[in-house]
Amino acid sequence: MPKPLLALALSLCATPALACSPALFERLDAPLSAPPDESIDVAEIRSVEGGEWQVWRGGDGAAREVARIDYGEMGRLVSRLVVEAPGAYAVTVTQFIYSVPIYIAGSTTIREEKDIYLFCDGQLLQPGEDFALDPAYAERAAEALALFDAPEIAGHLPELAR
């Protein structure tokens, strides 16, 4: 099926997230490209191993993806903001769990847990009433998004509708 026709078919029968921004929906599963355009040390350290901000910019110079990576000896936590437009963006929070502490030879990631929060017109998308949702979902989404208000990174982000 040709790509424009596929996009039209998906938009007619798709979830609100896809209708909000098909490009955003497609980018969520894409891995972070390497290397980032900029790397900044985190000011508020969550673990002894520290962390960093990584910023990827679009052709216009605006940040299109920002990731905060918090390192730990038994895993790492990656909080990622993907921006398609000021009102269409997503935050993913992925915890990578290691088999043994990172300093031991043979340590590898054995488990990943990911939470995804989609925002359309600056509002968190939530399933309808027929779908049972964890009551803390909206609270966790707000916490994940607030992470990107950190002073050391705020000036690098585009203005987001909230």
Side-chain angles (χ1 to χ4, degrees):
M1 179 178 284
K3 232 179 182 177
L5 188 55
L6 176 61
L8 176 62
L10 287 173
S11 68
L12 293 175
C13 61
T15 66
L18 187 54
C20 173
S21 175
L24 173 63
F25 195 74
E26 291 173 8
R27 289 174 55 199
L28 286 178
D29 282 334
L32 293 169
S33 60
D37 295 311
E38 189 170 359
S39 182
I40 303 163
D41 288 335
V42 297
E44 184 182 319
I45 297 173
R46 293 181 171 179
S47 80
V48 176
E49 286 77 15
E52 70 177 310
W53 290 101
Q54 295 181 343
V55 180
W56 290 265
R57 300 188 185 288
D60 60 359
R64 294 293 177 219
E65 293 193 33
V66 177
R68 177 181 168 135
I69 305 168
D70 291 291
Y71 301 102
E73 68 180 42
M74 285 304 299
R76 71 186 183 282
L77 185 67
V78 178
S79 302
R80 178 180 173 201
L81 173 67
V82 179
V83 179
E84 189 60 35
Y89 51 92
V91 175
T92 64
V93 179
T94 308
Q95 183 174 3
F96 296 87
I97 301 162
Y98 302 152
S99 56
V100 294
I102 193 69
Y103 54 82
I104 295 177
S107 178
T108 187
T109 299
I110 59 169
R111 184 174 174 180
E112 291 181 24
E113 295 178 5
K114 181 185 278 190
D115 291 321
I116 302 170
Y117 308 104
L118 297 167
F119 296 84
C120 187
D121 297 326
Q123 301 299 311
L124 177 64
L125 290 177
Q126 298 187 53
E129 295 175 12
D130 295 337
F131 187 81
L133 185 65
D134 180 352
Y137 180 77
E139 182 180 319
R140 287 194 316 269
E143 289 172 4
L145 183 57
L147 184 66
F148 295 90
D149 292 333
E152 70 269 20
I153 197 69
H156 296 272
L157 293 174
E159 188 67 31
L160 299 176
R162 295 188 190 200

